Amino acid sequence: MHMVLVPAPHIQGRRTVPYFPLGVLYLHQVLSDAGHECTIYYPAQETAEPAGPDAAIRRWAAEIVATKPGWVGFSTMCSTYPLTLLLARAVKEMSPRTRVVLGGPQAPAVAEESMAAFPWIGHVVRGEAEDAIVHLIQVIAGAREPGDAAGLTYRSDGRILSTPPGPLLADLDSLPVPDYRAYAPFDEMLRRGSPVPALEFLPMEPGRGCLYGCVFCSTSAFWRRRCRQKSPGALADQIETVVHEYGVADVYFVQDLFLADRDWLAGFAEAM
């Protein structure tokens, strides 16, 4: 079964702009390592074309459907959630047999409400998806009952049901180093991603989570107010791998609360 992963769009002005979607890159690597055929599609084009934004959405959907996916997974964020929902609807209209799955930080916060309002959504994966996405494939293939898959919102006999959340990943060191080249705008991002001329760098994730409970932010709910770090040695090894594999001069860290643990930070500095 062919799968397509679609990162949540980023928009500047009237144009979607590429970025490195680390979460989607991790999922692509997990699926590829498990032997599944998976591609990443990013609609990095004008959102307002001569015929209007609807034409762009239809074109993007047609390009996705042309790969004949069994299901399409959309990552979501609050600022572009409406655009993602419209793109998902267009995919479903063009290919009714294709399953539409939502994940990322936004959809899980309103999983049941979204599925009630938008009937083209088949499933919402809530929380970390590296383990859940393998279970989802089993559900779609009929090898597992949806009620047995943790962190899944789904449809059953006209009802919308949600299973309890699964555990957070116990060992972030087990996450694979993603294949950045699996993301089509790879070369463009290396040219554009740096504010310093001729400096090329890639993002890396040293840890996950946030300890705080700000009422205006969904981060604390998504990560359950817990912080987890990769071990200093493993992170240092992964940095070395990325620098040598991709020939970049630098990396930058993507994490909500990098300085939460001073002892860890001291250990990481020593490992480097």
Side-chain angles (χ1 to χ4, degrees):
M1 180 189 301
H2 177 56
M3 311 159 200
V4 176
L5 300 176
V6 184
H10 275 211
I11 295 179
Q12 292 181 1
R14 302 177 69 186
R15 180 178 173 84
T16 59
V17 293
Y19 67 103
F20 279 113
L22 272 179
V24 170
L25 285 167
Y26 275 124
L27 295 184
H28 175 272
Q29 195 63 51
V30 167
L31 291 170
S32 298
D33 289 346
H36 299 291
E37 182 186 353
C38 178
T39 58
I40 298 174
Y41 176 85
Y42 186 74
Q45 303 292 334
E46 296 287 347
T47 57
E49 299 185 341
D54 289 345
I57 291 171
R58 288 195 299 271
R59 178 170 55 78
W60 297 335
E63 291 173 352
I64 293 171
V65 169
T67 67
K68 301 186 185 320
W71 62 270
V72 181
F74 294 88
S75 184
T76 61
M77 64 175 62
C78 61
S79 58
T80 54
Y81 196 37
L83 178 58
T84 296
L85 289 169
L86 291 173
L87 179 54
R89 182 179 66 179
V91 167
K92 191 67 174 178
E93 289 174 347
M94 293 182 185
S95 180
R97 295 175 63 87
T98 298
R99 302 287 189 100
V100 170
V101 180
L102 302 187
Q106 175 58 35
V110 288
E112 294 188 5
E113 297 88 342
S114 293
M115 291 189 66
F118 309 111
W120 54 89
I121 303 172
H123 302 84
V124 176
V125 175
R126 308 186 326 274
E128 287 179 314
E130 283 85 3
D131 287 338
I133 199 166
V134 177
H135 299 158
L136 174 66
I137 293 171
Q138 295 170 346
V139 169
I140 292 176
R144 178 191 287 257
E145 292 296 324
D148 296 333
L152 185 65
T153 300
Y154 62 100
R155 302 182 188 276
S156 177
D157 297 327
R159 298 179 298 164
I160 297 171
L161 304 176
S162 293
T163 62
L168 295 173
L169 292 177
D171 181 16
L172 294 185
D173 291 355
S174 66
L175 290 172
V177 176
D179 178 8
Y180 292 88
R181 293 188 179 93
Y183 183 53
F186 173 82
D187 291 331
E188 180 182 3
M189 285 304 300
L190 282 186
R191 292 195 301 271
R192 290 185 173 183
S194 171
V196 181
L199 177 65
E200 296 181 339
F201 58 81
L202 289 172
M204 297 190 67
E205 184 184 56
R208 294 177 175 179
C210 180
L211 299 172
Y212 301 104
C214 302
V215 296
F216 56 83
C217 182
S218 64
T219 296
S220 60
F222 191 89
W223 300 119
R224 307 178 202 175
R225 295 189 69 173
R226 287 184 55 193
C227 274
R228 294 158 296 149
Q229 301 290 140
K230 295 177 179 177
S231 66
L235 180 58
D237 289 344
Q238 290 183 5
I239 292 172
E240 184 175 12
T241 296
V242 167
V243 169
H244 289 164
E245 173 69 20
Y246 297 100
V248 295
D250 207 350
V251 299
Y252 69 91
F253 291 150
V254 178
Q255 186 180 354
D256 292 300
L257 206 59
F258 177 65
L259 302 178
D261 187 336
R262 291 187 178 183
D263 290 338
W264 177 89
L265 192 60
F268 173 63
E270 184 176 350
M272 289 297 292

